[in-house]
Amino acid sequence: MLDIALLRRDPEIVRTSARRRGADPGFVDDILRLDAEYRRELAELERTKAEKNALSATIGRAADKAAAAAELRPQLDALAATIASLEEQARILAPDESESPLRALLEGSPNVLDASVPVGSDESANVVLRHWGEVRELGFPAQQHVDIGEKLGILDFERAAKLSGARFVVLRGMGAKLSRAVVSFFLDRAASHGYEEFVPPYLVLRETMRSTGHLSKFADAMFTDIDGDLLMIPTAEVPLTAMYRNELLDGASLPRKLTAHTPCFRKEAGAAGRDTRGLIRLHQFDKVELVWLTRPEDSFAALDTLTQHAASLLEELDIPHRVIALCAGDTGFNAAKTHDIEVWLPGAQTYREISSCSNCTDFQARRLNMRFRRDAKAKPEFVHTLNGSGLAVGRTLVAILENYQQADGSVVIPNALRPYLGGLERISP
RNA sequence: GGAGAGAUGGCAGAGCGGUUGAAUGCGGCGGUCUUGAAAACCGCUGAACCUUCGCGGGUUCCGUGGGUUCGAAUCCCACUCUCUCCUCCA
């Protein structure tokens, strides 16, 4: 949610950011007009209330309260009627009223981009920040992960389809164990970087989903439970970030680093026909998520650290990858700045996103009403929130299978994972 | 699912329908004392919003939403959540 104070103070910043995203900045003037109107109504309402409160107080102080009340009755009744109508008008305009157009505009407008975000309208304008690792020459025709996994008997898409339809997988045997090893490896590394581990609910209230900005009425990509009251999380970012909603945190506890391994559920409604084969785009996948809550002045440095925490997992797995700065048009609604990490897939002969790390600045925290106090006397301020995958588990399996495949169809286990698999060095047919 | 109890400030915990935004304690901040610290003592200490150049003024908030009243933390209704017991269950 945008800061109304920023819009009043410097609307041009917001307009410029919207233009960079390729959006029409007209909403800025709409907001300012509604805001001015609201404040006019509110001032009038409060003035009238103050008048009525003062009269009530005189009754409270009077010796004969009944007589005083009777005497003031006509004035009080008139004021009450005025207040009722002013209240109705103010409510329609109030920015904290969920139905109000002003609220809708504030919530429906994207975060202000950081100045460092590259110019551009789509992913072709994204900027590669750095490469890591050398793309291996396998010395034989590389297979794609689906073929590798099915031949090894560790990925079973047919039976998954029998159970649940398209976009599901059954991990079998070493596939299941490898997935579990990857999760443990990720969580252990997160712990060593100071992240606190959580197991949050996988079903959350609509209000929780809305508060993190994942439930805009334009993109309903969520699965609901049978009652429809609870939504299945599309990422652990939702419960982890919303956990401290409406709380006032101790400034000394910042930055806070949180992690969780959860399944993620997505309808992928907008991706019909894309990535229909394999583990790349499923309705259910596992992910280890990394979340930071920081002081405002620390969040951009934290984004670099967070990104490196995610990238270091691939370094330890010895999988070539690159880090990308998303351009303005490709940066998500909540984010002021986003880094993606893409792994090299020899079978697919392409780079594929495996992590997305974003600094949401105070945009998400404002809607969550998640604040901290710098010190005992300081006013509460909104924290900055960051989130990133560390990493997507399914896509990590893809990267392992394709990068560690051997000519005979076997797959070598990366050194970093062997301790989690009893020292196993290779998955063979 | 059944029965009962409860929800108040960062935490704990009072609160006859009328200066109660809220006693008290803890915590926090400042001060006195001390070589320094502790202890003791004194003072200060909720939030959002509107308004003002500023001082200040005002409105709202005691789980949520309604209602009664000139006036509600206090009375009424509904809902949510928490706790205890029973039931059920992994």
Side-chain angles (χ1 to χ4, degrees), chain A residues 47-65:
Chain A
R47 205 178 308 126
T48 314
K49 277 188 173 176
E51 201 179 324
K52 179 157 179 281
N53 286 347
L55 286 182
S56 283
T58 66
I59 296 174
R61 282 192 296 269
D64 185 344
K65 295 180 173 52

Side-chain angles (χ1 to χ4, degrees), chain A residues 389-400:
Chain A
S389 356
L391 303 164
V393 176
R395 292 188 180 186
T396 301
L397 297 183
V398 173
I400 292 169

Side-chain angles (χ1 to χ4, degrees), chain A residues 1 107 210-213 333 363-369:
Chain A
M1 185 167 69
E107 288 195 352
R210 205 190 60 83
S211 69
T212 54
F333 181 82
F363 186 81
Q364 203 173 33
R366 179 167 291 105
R367 186 188 285 211
L368 287 163
N369 188 30

